[in-house]
């Protein structure tokens, strides 16, 4: 079997026939906005092989844009003994098709966006302070840049780990 793509409208029709929709995003992404019918099973849990979707007629996997699902298509295809599909364009396409979603604005932004905001603010502050007060503040921008390079190379982001411990994120990750 191979992971076939479905448009949001075709996925909606298949769901009406009893297919299972699986959101592979992380808990903090799922907490803020999601498709109501979707089961939340993060990609890491699916990679452990814990879910097999016994008895399902079809399984449709989705992420935010479809890229993460496409990158892990082989793994996801092996998670079900039935037909497996990829929601083309992911949650973003589902929203563009004006299909129903559940939004909880009380939940924090996705962790990746929080990292981007924090890193960008620190680089901006370091540059502005370096230009106006002391060139030593440029070191802050350099430190953040080095941290981002390290995160990209190693897969470990210290800023993300720090933000995960923030009180507003602990609530989303525990649900």
């Amino acid at each position: 079997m191979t992971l076939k793509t479905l448009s949001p409208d075709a996925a909606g029709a298949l769901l009406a026939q009893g297919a299972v929709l699986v959101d592979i995003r992380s808990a903090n992404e799922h907490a803020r906005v999601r498709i109501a019918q979707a089961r939340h099973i993060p990609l890491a849990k699916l990679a452990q092989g814990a879910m097999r979707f016994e008895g399902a007629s079809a399984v449709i996997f989705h992420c935010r844009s479809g890229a993460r699902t496409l990158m892990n298509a082989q793994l996801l295809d092996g998670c079900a003994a039935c037909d497996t599909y990829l929601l083309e364009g992911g949650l973003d396409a589902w929203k563009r098709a004006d299909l129903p979603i559940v939004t909880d604005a009380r939940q924090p932004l996705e962790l990746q966006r929080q990292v981007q905001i924090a890193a960008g603010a620190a680089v901006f502050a370091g540059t502005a302070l370096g230009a106006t007060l002391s060139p030593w503040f440029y070191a802050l921008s350099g430190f953040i840049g080095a941290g981002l390079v390290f995160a990209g190379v190693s897969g470990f982001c210290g800023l993300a780990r720090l933000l995960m411990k923030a009180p507003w994120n602990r609530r989303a990750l525990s649900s």
Side-chain angles (χ1 to χ4, degrees), residues 86-101:
L86 154 78
L87 178 59
E88 189 173 24
L91 177 65
D92 292 343
W94 186 272
K95 289 191 286 189
R96 281 192 305 271
D98 208 25
L99 294 167
I101 58 167

Side-chain angles (χ1 to χ4, degrees), residues 8 13 20 24 46 72 82 91 102 111:
V20 175
I24 67 165
L46 289 167
N72 294 283
C82 56
L91 177 65
V102 175
L111 193 58

Side-chain angles (χ1 to χ4, degrees), residues 9-10 19 33 42 44 53 57 62 73 82 85 87 89 93 96-97 105 122-123 129 136 141-143 151 156 161-162:
D9 290 327
V33 63
F53 307 102
S57 61
H62 85 86
C82 56
Y85 299 91
L87 178 59
R96 281 192 305 271
V123 168
L129 292 170
W136 285 100
S141 298
F143 178 74
F156 174 83
R161 297 284 173 107
L162 182 66

Side-chain angles (χ1 to χ4, degrees), residues 6-22 35-39 57-62 85 87 94 99-100:
L6 282 178
S7 70
D9 290 327
L14 202 55
L15 287 172
Q17 297 172 8
V20 175
L21 180 63
V22 178
I35 299 171
Q37 306 97 304
R39 290 186 195 175
S57 61
V59 179
I60 307 165
F61 296 99
H62 85 86
Y85 299 91
L87 178 59
W94 186 272
L99 294 167

Side-chain angles (χ1 to χ4, degrees), residues 4 8 13 17 33 35 56 65 69 79 85 93 131 140 150 158 169:
K4 302 170 246 2
Q17 297 172 8
V33 63
I35 299 171
S65 68
T69 312
C79 289
Y85 299 91
L140 174 61
F150 179 76
N169 285 327

Side-chain angles (χ1 to χ4, degrees), residues 20 22 39-42 45-54 61 75-76 78-81:
V20 175
V22 178
R39 290 186 195 175
H40 178 239
I41 307 172
K45 190 170 185 177
L46 289 167
Q48 295 170 354
M51 304 301 297
R52 289 287 171 205
F53 307 102
E54 305 296 336
F61 296 99
L75 165 78
L76 296 172
C79 289

Side-chain angles (χ1 to χ4, degrees), residues 133-147:
L133 296 179
S134 168
W136 285 100
F137 281 105
Y138 289 129
L140 174 61
S141 298
F143 178 74
I144 295 296

